[in-house]
Amino acid sequence: MSWEFGVTVAVTVFTAVIGLPIGHAMLASSVFYLLMQGQDMSIAFEQMLTGLYGSYVLLAIPLFIFAADLMNVGSLSDRLLDFCRALVGRFRGGMGHVNVVSSLIFSGMSGSAIADAVGMGRIIINLMTKDGRYPGSYAGAITAASAIIGPIIPPSIPMVLYALVSDTSIGFLFLGGVGPGLVLGVMIMAMNAWQARIHDYPVEDPVPVRDLPRVTLRAVPALLMPVILLVGIYGGVTTPTEAAALAALYAFLVSTLLYRSVSLRMAYETVRQSAKSTAAVGFLIAGALAFNYVVTIEQVPSVIRDALGDTELNRVTFLLIVNAILLGLGCLLEANAILLVIVPIFLPTAVSLGIDPVHFGVIVVVNTMIGLATPPYGLLLFVVTSITKSPIRETIRHLLPFLAIMIAGLAMITFVPEIVLWLPRLYGYNG
Amino acid sequence: MTTASPFVRRLRAIADAVPAILLAAMFVCFIIQVFMRYVIDSPVGWTVEVCVIAWLWILLWGQSVSAEETDEIRFDIVYGSVRPEVRRWFRVVFSLLLVGIYLWSLPALWDYVTFMKIQETSYLDIPFSWVYSAALVFSAVSILRYLWIFWNAARNRDSGLGTADDIGRKDFSE
Amino acid sequence: QDMPTLRLSSVVSDNDIRAEAFAKIAESVTDTFDMQVFNGATLVAQGSEMTAIQRGNLEMGLIAPQTIAEQIPEWSIVTSAYLFDDADHLQATFDSDVGGELISLAEEAGVHVLAPVYFGTRHVNLAPEAEVMTPEDLDGITMRMPGGDAWQFLGEAIGANPTPLAYAEVYTALQTGAIDGQDNPLPNDYNMKFYEVTSQIVLTGHLVGFDVLAIGAELWDSFTPEQQETLQTAVDEAIAESTQRHLDREAELVQFFKDEGLEVYEPDRDAFREFAQQKYLESEFAESWPEGMVDRINALTE
Ligand code: NA
Ligand code: NA
């Protein structure tokens, strides 16, 4: 690593801390790096442009944003909110639980945590913050935490990438993610219950039982949304990326034809707002693409390899070190780059220490996903704050307990392999 | 919030319409894509190309031409908690740095984007110089926007109060 | 310490046979060049290796012929179905005058070809069980092909309904039935675990898959003859070994897939070849092919 790299990291952190928007901070400091190196400064822009042009899977993001915004203006969200309140409003932190459970359901759709957060997350955040029941920063924090589960429960793009570099079965990896996904979900809900007590989030008056059928009926179209999506994907109609468009279409049809609650004017206003949010979120990814080049050209991965090369490790310290490094790299590198470049560095050692590759894969994926939400650079963190429009410092404050419990969960998954392996073994995996 | 003249408001509306139309186009393309494959059983490929081009332009146009400071995602731990006077100085520094870097790299960016005319997109045969010209728009407009931010901060007019405080209020009142 | 730096960007993953070949090249030129290999498309995005070399921002790249064809239409001939019989035919073509013509076209565009890098022959891999003997049997089969009109046309040329899809999404799409099949060389079917969610591999052999290992032409010309020879020898050795390993691997995988319970069989290749070549000759792609080149390449099989 060169001194220019150090300066670049310093410039990124400095400009971001004094308030330059993060996307600009990453892009500009990458350009600055090239300037110091005497390289062609357009490379940073080229990386950004070619990276975005090739990022087909990310196209789900704008469409999920659009679908969520349509649900909000089209009163689908309101009806869903009434239903959820009737169901869980009497419990403290009830909406937080709804957030986690819906993430668990929706993670069956999307293979990407960011898409999860902007899709279902956006809808639930709006439900949680309406009438000021929960601060936006808390809603954002629990959304970020539960979005981490998305790619741990199948389908999962990070797991496909891991399978590619590790020669493990995608089928068994997918099965291996189910247990940890559920465990993490339960842990987040426990933390939510505790936080709701500490912060004394309001409880609702219980809805009389005789009102339940009416409230449920009103919410049926909204409740059908996940059903339609899951049928769309598992019925082979759409790919997970395309499912986002199907969601938007459904929300659009229900609000215009069934409820007649959306005028042309409102539809345009919704598209306009969704496009704005898309730009804000997408530009973070754009900045990260430029910055990624700097990290790659500085050969950070091989520096790590060399540092690890001559240390004698046992299984426990190895796993601890891997977890620490991956969490640290989560601050600098995009998740896919970590999987494709870093994993092959660790894998041979893991296998030689007798660590099961499916188990190791799930650890790595959980890790990179947690990295998406860890400050300072956490894409999920920025995405949820752009939805909630609450200060990052508040969101981080609320996120810390959740991160603590996620890391505890990661430790559990790391040291109790059975959580990962019981389901694959049930289906014939002999590892 | 300052009140804008009708002319400025119209410009603003046009600036906003571009990403909105692109997003709508993206939505329609995805629906066509699913429809053609699943219902008609005759898949098409050009829709993907329209979508990635739209995505690129939504981002770069949306973060420059139609960007508002409140929409931009920033790390506000320090920025949001310092005195207005200090924040004003922060704004002077970061806007100057950004303008400097983008301005310095503008010729190189121009060179790259124009060079890319040697390659065309696969289905629509649009030269990449046109697809990627979004970056030129982005860079040029960002330079102007941040010059404006610099100018106002330097003349003691704006300490970014409208951004950080708005955001802060929203968290507890919504 | 004024050895030239050679940064190579490729899309292959770090544990790929080709990645080992690149590492070997870097190793054998270590006295002459500081060669750094970046796999997994981490340095340069997939498909932009060529422009990066042309702009002098990258020294070496593993470039898909489809990418070259986007700038040099004549190159689209080597991306067409049933042109090459096998890896030997591919190598023979690049060693011949025909190859020389293609190589000098690339040279004019600023890219010096070091070697074609074989990575396996593409076969059709399907989830449905119906037997496929002729292109007509693929009628109505939704098959994932890589994005871009050249790739999609390849799918049409073997009688299928091609649809583009991101590589990472293919497994799930096969599982859910969003697509019926995909086409890839056997090692890719293995690496991406497609055999877990499909029932058969039809050994169509419709395309001999290869990329081009290339270096900036200007940079190459600036080397001394000794430097050129050092690099070329290292490339030739490593790539020959890589090709052999791919061939061995393919042979081995046929048995592996059979053991996994897949049907693996050869269809009526002549029917496929005839159908495909007809499609290509009627297409816009053939317009850019140099007169008589198909025949000259065909003649090289003997
Ligand atoms: Na998932
Ligand atoms: Na992070």
Side-chain angles (χ1 to χ4, degrees):
Chain A
M1 281 186 271
S2 63
W3 64 268
E4 287 94 339
F5 181 62
V7 174
T8 306
V9 173
V11 169
T12 318
V13 173
F14 172 71
T15 49
V17 163
I18 65 169
L20 185 65
I22 292 151
H24 280 300
M26 301 195 86
L27 178 59
S29 56
S30 309
V31 175
F32 187 59
Y33 170 84
L34 295 165
L35 176 66
M36 285 189 295
Q37 290 274 9
Q39 295 188 50
D40 178 356
M41 282 186 281
S42 73
I43 293 176
F45 292 97
E46 178 190 358
Q47 291 285 322
M48 175 180 86
L49 291 165
T50 54
L52 289 173
Y53 194 82
S55 60
Y56 174 72
V57 178
L58 295 178
L59 295 179
I61 292 171
L63 291 161
F64 272 128
I65 291 179
F66 184 43
D69 285 352
L70 277 171
M71 284 188 74
N72 287 328
V73 296
S75 81
L76 268 90
S77 301
D78 288 328
R79 292 157 193 256
L80 198 58
L81 178 61
D82 289 343
F83 175 74
C84 294
R85 278 192 189 146
L87 223 56
V88 299
R90 70 196 76 180
F91 309 112
R92 208 173 287 280
M95 286 308 292
H97 294 317
V98 171
N99 192 332
V100 180
V101 171
S102 68
S103 258
L104 284 173
I105 295 173
F106 268 75
S107 59
M109 262 172 46
S110 138
S112 136
I114 307 292
D116 259 11
V118 298
M120 211 47 207
R122 198 175 173 86
I123 296 166
I124 309 272
I125 282 173
N126 288 319
L127 301 186
M128 287 180 77
T129 53
K130 253 180 193 163
D131 315 330
R133 274 163 218 280
Y134 295 83
S137 48
Y138 183 77
I142 192 167
T143 302
S146 48
I148 292 172
I149 304 172
I152 297 168
I153 290 183
S156 162
I157 288 171
M159 281 189 188
V160 171
L161 295 176
Y162 175 83
L164 173 68
V165 294
S166 67
D167 197 12
T168 37
S169 152
I170 296 181
F172 289 138
L173 267 174
F174 277 8
L175 288 172
V178 174
L182 294 176
V183 167
L184 289 173
V186 170
M187 290 176 97
I188 296 175
M189 284 167 85
M191 181 52 80
N192 170 57
W194 189 37
Q195 293 294 311
R197 191 169 297 276
I198 293 177
H199 297 293
D200 201 22
Y201 293 136
V203 288
E204 320 274 332
D205 297 330
V207 174
V209 177
R210 63 176 188 293
D211 284 355
L212 268 181
R214 186 183 53 84
V215 173
T216 311
L217 198 67
R218 267 172 51 88
V220 163
L223 290 172
L224 272 179
M225 177 103 134
V227 177
I228 284 173
L229 288 176
L230 294 178
V231 169
I233 292 169
Y234 290 102
V237 183
T238 69
T239 64
T241 310
E242 292 165 344
L246 206 64
L249 179 66
Y250 178 71
F252 182 72
L253 292 180
V254 170
S255 16
T256 51
L257 300 180
L258 190 63
Y259 296 159
R260 296 176 190 282
S261 57
V262 174
S263 63
L264 205 63
R265 174 90 236 149
M266 282 161 79
Y268 174 73
E269 196 50 36
T270 311
V271 181
R272 200 180 68 85
Q273 277 307 329
S274 304
K276 278 205 156 165
S277 312
T278 299
V281 172
F283 186 53
L284 286 174
I285 298 170
L289 285 167
F291 196 76
N292 228 25
Y293 177 81
V294 180
V295 177
T296 306
I297 201 89
E298 285 288 333
Q299 302 194 303
V300 175
S302 45
V303 171
I304 294 170
R305 174 173 24 207
D306 296 345
L308 271 184
D310 25 274
T311 33
E312 279 286 320
L313 296 168
N314 66 32
R315 214 155 134 166
V316 175
T317 44
F318 171 76
L319 285 172
L320 283 175
I321 289 175
V322 168
N323 279 323
I325 290 176
L326 289 180
L327 285 173
L329 280 174
C331 305
L332 288 175
L333 275 176
E334 180 232 355
N336 291 350
I338 294 183
L339 286 163
L340 288 178
V341 179
I342 309 290
V343 168
I345 297 175
F346 291 133
L347 200 66
T349 319
V351 171
S352 72
L353 287 172
I355 299 164
D356 181 86
V358 167
H359 179 216
F360 190 67
V362 174
I363 293 174
V364 169
V365 170
V366 172
N367 221 312
T368 49
M369 293 304 113
I370 292 178
L372 283 176
T374 49
Y377 182 72
L379 212 47
L380 266 178
L381 183 62
F382 301 141
V383 167
V384 296
T385 47
S386 84
I387 298 172
T388 60
K389 301 260 192 283
S390 30
I392 284 192
R393 58 172 188 278
E394 286 300 313
T395 309
I396 290 179
R397 195 167 62 81
H398 281 121
L399 186 62
L400 286 177
F402 288 107
L403 281 177
I405 198 127
M406 296 296 270
I407 289 171
L410 176 63
M412 249 175 78
I413 294 162
T414 304
F415 296 111
V416 189
E418 285 70 28
I419 301 175
V420 175
L421 295 174
W422 67 273
L423 197 57
R425 278 176 187 155
L426 205 63
Y427 282 86
Y429 177 67
N430 35 30
Chain B
M1 275 281 138
T2 49
T3 48
S5 71
F7 177 68
V8 170
R9 262 184 287 145
R10 178 146 318 158
L11 279 185
R12 174 105 257 152
I14 294 171
D16 276 6
V18 172
I21 291 166
L22 288 171
L23 181 59
M26 202 168 169
F27 170 63
V28 172
C29 280
F30 260 99
I31 300 297
I32 292 175
Q33 185 176 310
V34 174
F35 184 80
M36 291 301 285
R37 189 186 60 233
Y38 189 72
V39 183
I40 310 287
D41 208 10
S42 159
V44 290
W46 57 268
T47 46
V48 174
E49 197 167 294
V50 175
C51 287
V52 283
I53 295 173
W55 157 247
L56 195 77
W57 276 82
I58 292 172
L59 299 193
L60 295 177
W61 183 283
Q63 279 298 285
S64 55
V65 184
S66 48
E68 286 171 54
E69 270 205 279
T70 41
D71 294 331
E72 293 186 286
I73 302 174
R74 62 184 85 229
F75 198 64
D76 59 7
I77 295 186
V78 176
Y79 181 75
S81 53
V82 293
R83 285 181 296 117
E85 185 58 15
V86 179
R87 192 180 313 129
R88 195 169 67 82
W89 277 106
F90 280 1
R91 291 168 70 77
V92 169
V93 173
F94 75 59
S95 54
L96 208 56
L97 279 174
L98 194 75
V99 169
I101 290 176
Y102 282 180
L103 209 52
W104 202 330
S105 62
L106 195 56
L109 177 60
W110 172 267
D111 189 60
Y112 170 68
V113 171
T114 48
F115 171 84
M116 284 307 288
K117 69 173 180 289
I118 62 167
Q119 212 156 312
E120 289 181 346
T121 66
S122 183
Y123 295 94
L124 308 175
D125 295 332
I126 306 169
F128 270 100
S129 48
W130 284 104
V131 177
Y132 289 169
S133 62
L136 283 173
V137 174
F138 165 84
S139 186
V141 175
S142 294
I143 289 169
L144 295 175
R145 273 189 68 220
Y146 277 82
L147 271 178
W148 179 247
I149 291 172
F150 167 73
W151 179 248
N152 281 320
R155 288 185 34 183
N156 203 2
R157 278 217 193 132
D158 185 6
S159 55
L161 269 175
T163 57
D165 278 13
D166 268 356
I167 289 170
R169 264 204 311 278
K170 210 162 186 170
D171 192 28
F172 299 103
S173 62
E174 199 176 73
Chain C
Q1 236 275 313
D2 49 0
M3 278 195 294
T5 299
L6 301 179
R7 291 166 304 173
L8 165 64
S9 182
S10 88
V11 298
V12 308
S13 65
D14 257 338
N15 57 345
D16 193 282
I17 297 173
R18 288 163 288 172
E20 287 175 38
F22 302 148
K24 205 179 152 209
I25 298 171
E27 180 68 41
S28 27
V29 300
T30 178
D31 293 333
T32 320
F33 300 104
D34 173 21
M35 184 169 158
Q36 303 164 5
V37 182
F38 298 87
N39 295 314
T42 48
L43 189 61
V44 168
Q46 179 164 19
S48 44
E49 300 89 356
M50 183 160 172
T51 46
I53 290 177
Q54 288 170 317
R55 291 180 53 73
N57 291 332
L58 180 70
E59 290 76 36
M60 293 172 76
L62 185 68
I63 312 174
Q66 287 79 5
T67 305
I68 302 179
E70 280 168 23
Q71 282 189 33
I72 308 169
E74 288 86 346
W75 269 72
S76 78
I77 192 169
V78 296
T79 69
S80 68
Y82 293 106
L83 183 75
F84 300 122
D85 286 352
D86 51 28
D88 279 343
H89 189 198
L90 166 72
Q91 188 61 51
T93 303
F94 270 85
D95 291 339
S96 73
D97 293 349
V98 188
E101 283 169 37
L102 291 171
I103 288 171
S104 64
L105 283 169
E107 195 89 27
E108 282 166 32
V111 173
H112 175 83
V113 175
L114 289 168
V117 180
Y118 174 78
F119 60 83
T121 302
R122 296 179 89 93
H123 302 293
V124 168
N125 172 214
L126 298 174
E129 277 168 14
E131 189 181 57
V132 172
M133 292 311 286
T134 63
E136 287 73 28
D137 296 331
L138 285 178
D139 192 28
I141 293 281
T142 303
M143 197 157 80
R144 180 268 175 185
M145 303 290 298
D149 58 356
W151 280 113
Q152 297 294 300
F153 186 76
L154 178 63
E156 282 173 38
I158 54 172
N161 286 2
T163 188
L165 195 66
Y167 198 39
E169 276 198 328
V170 176
Y171 181 94
T172 315
L174 284 168
Q175 199 171 31
T176 62
I179 53 173
D180 300 318
Q182 58 91 27
D183 86 308
N184 260 301
L186 301 183
N188 298 47
D189 294 344
Y190 175 82
N191 291 337
M192 293 301 279
K193 318 294 164 206
F194 296 141
Y195 62 87
E196 293 179 358
V197 286
T198 51
S199 73
Q200 56 169 326
I201 292 174
V202 189
L203 297 170
T204 46
H206 52 278
L207 187 70
V208 171
F210 75 100
D211 292 317
V212 168
L213 185 60
I215 186 168
E218 221 170 281
L219 179 68
W220 175 259
D221 292 338
S222 75
F223 291 162
T224 64
E226 293 75 34
Q227 284 176 316
Q228 290 183 347
E229 201 193 314
T230 306
L231 184 58
Q232 190 64 56
T233 312
V235 167
D236 290 345
E237 273 174 22
I239 298 306
E241 190 194 323
S242 156
T243 300
Q244 192 51 50
R245 285 183 64 191
H246 276 95
L247 293 169
D248 295 346
R249 185 79 184 126
E250 287 178 284
E252 202 176 285
L253 282 173
V254 169
Q255 193 52 48
F256 171 84
F257 291 136
K258 282 182 177 163
D259 294 344
E260 286 291 312
L262 275 77
E263 292 288 331
V264 186
Y265 59 93
E266 199 166 308
D268 180 356
R269 276 203 196 185
D270 291 333
F272 270 101
R273 177 177 292 112
E274 202 171 316
F275 185 88
Q277 289 195 338
Q278 190 58 33
K279 279 257 182 189
Y280 267 96
L281 288 174
E282 288 165 3
S283 76
E284 51 164 336
F285 296 100
E287 288 164 19
S288 56
W289 296 354
E291 194 68 35
M293 196 180 260
V294 174
D295 297 332
R296 288 162 68 199
I297 292 176
N298 280 340
L300 287 165
T301 41
E302 282 89 48

